[in-house]
Amino acid sequence: MTFQWTAVATFLYAEIGVLLLLCLPFVSPVRWQKIFMIPLWNKIAIYWNKAFLTIIVLLIVLFLDAIREVKKYSAVHATEKVASVHQNAFDHIQMKLFRSQRNLYISGFSLFLWLVLRRTVTLITQLAKEMGIQVALELQVANTNEAAKKYLQENEILQQALNEKGKYKREQALEASNKKLRQEVQYLTEELKRASNALSKATNEVIAVKKQSEGLKREYDRLMKEHERLQDLLDEDEEEDKKDQ
């Protein structure tokens, strides 16, 4: 195996080892996030995108070269198999084909695992951020619940204080209203007494006026009778005078 394919195979084994470490169930994404936040990783992250693209390009080039080698030796293998060449030459061509196919698999899996590794690191980072946000939201919800409970307790205390204050004000208002009603009742009682006295006085005056009018009527009747009697006497005297003449 040449140096370049030895490097690619080593890179493939390293990718497999890193992916196995990232997939360990007892290491949480938050811990990986803390590891990724180490100052050394922060310095490497500056060149991460460039290195990623560079390795992608190299692996693609090696993958295409492996495809070319496979096609080349596959064609030669088929030709020599049909031509029935010497056994050693055929084995040599078959070995070349095997190596080219091995290189194809190594470069292909390296390229695939490199993309998977990039995606895995991205997902772990996003998951760690989401977990951090979830923890923050849980803390915020807990703080909000505590604050809500505190506000409810304070509201109940204020409500009780307002009820007591309102009860005291209602008692004062009721007492003032009762006092005002008593004063009005007293005033109306005095007014009723004065009206009763005035009514009694008016009744007495009416009775007196009625008695006086009855006396005047009797006197008028008496005077009328006296007037009639005198008129009768006057008429008799006139008749006697006429007879004497």
Side-chain angles (χ1 to χ4, degrees):
M1 183 181 292
T2 60
F3 175 77
Q4 60 180 3
W5 292 112
T6 302
V8 173
T10 304
F11 185 72
L12 175 62
Y13 300 148
E15 287 178 330
I16 294 172
V18 172
L19 284 173
L20 288 175
L21 287 175
L22 292 175
C23 293
L24 290 176
F26 53 84
V27 182
S28 65
V30 177
R31 183 168 296 179
W32 282 117
Q33 177 70 12
K34 292 180 180 179
I35 294 173
F36 295 153
M37 294 302 292
I38 294 175
L40 178 62
W41 289 108
N42 290 331
K43 294 179 181 179
I44 296 175
I46 300 174
Y47 308 100
W48 168 249
N49 290 327
K50 294 181 180 179
F52 175 78
L53 294 176
T54 302
I55 293 173
I56 284 288
V57 172
L58 291 175
L59 291 175
I60 290 174
V61 171
L62 292 172
F63 182 69
L64 294 176
D65 182 66
I67 293 174
R68 183 185 63 80
E69 292 289 331
V70 169
K71 288 183 179 180
K72 173 183 174 182
Y73 290 112
S74 294
V76 173
H77 179 267
T79 303
E80 292 186 356
K81 187 175 181 181
V82 173
S84 298
V85 296
H86 193 268
Q87 185 66 30
N88 290 333
F90 181 77
D91 291 340
H92 181 72
I93 296 299
Q94 192 171 2
M95 181 185 64
K96 291 285 187 181
L97 179 61
F98 170 76
R99 288 180 179 176
S100 62
Q101 290 175 347
R102 179 201 62 192
N103 295 336
L104 176 65
Y105 296 145
I106 290 174
S107 59
F109 279 111
S110 297
L111 179 61
F112 173 72
L113 291 180
W114 184 241
L115 296 174
V116 171
L117 181 62
R118 171 65 180 268
R119 185 59 178 170
T120 303
V121 172
T122 303
L123 290 175
I124 288 174
T125 304
Q126 292 179 355
L127 182 59
K129 290 180 180 179
E130 293 297 329
M131 291 176 69
I133 293 172
Q134 182 180 1
V135 172
L137 289 175
E138 289 177 355
L139 291 174
Q140 185 176 0
V141 169
N143 294 330
T144 303
N145 289 333
E146 291 179 358
K149 290 179 181 179
K150 183 179 179 180
Y151 291 150
L152 287 174
Q153 292 176 356
E154 292 179 355
N155 190 15
E156 289 178 358
I157 294 172
L158 291 174
Q159 191 69 29
Q160 291 177 357
L162 289 174
N163 290 334
E164 292 178 356
K165 187 175 181 180
K167 184 178 179 181
Y168 177 71
K169 286 185 177 180
R170 286 194 298 270
E171 289 178 354
Q172 287 184 341
L174 184 60
E175 185 178 356
S177 178
N178 291 334
K179 184 177 180 180
K180 186 176 180 181
L181 287 174
R182 286 194 295 269
Q183 291 176 355
E184 290 180 356
V185 169
Q186 185 177 0
Y187 174 75
L188 291 174
T189 303
E190 293 177 355
E191 287 292 325
L192 181 60
K193 188 182 291 184
R194 285 195 293 270
S196 298
N197 294 330
L199 181 61
S200 299
K201 184 177 180 181
T203 302
N204 294 330
E205 289 178 355
V206 168
I207 292 171
V209 169
K210 187 176 180 181
K211 289 180 179 180
Q212 186 177 1
S213 62
E214 289 177 353
L216 290 173
K217 185 178 180 181
R218 286 194 298 270
E219 184 66 23
Y220 177 77
D221 292 338
R222 187 184 65 79
L223 290 174
M224 287 298 294
K225 290 178 180 180
E226 185 68 23
H227 176 71
E228 289 177 357
R229 187 179 65 80
L230 292 174
Q231 188 68 32
D232 292 336
L233 292 175
L234 182 61
D235 292 336
E236 290 177 357
D237 291 336
E238 288 179 356
E239 288 178 359
E240 289 179 359
D241 291 335
K242 287 180 180 180
K243 289 179 179 181
D244 291 335
Q245 292 179 357

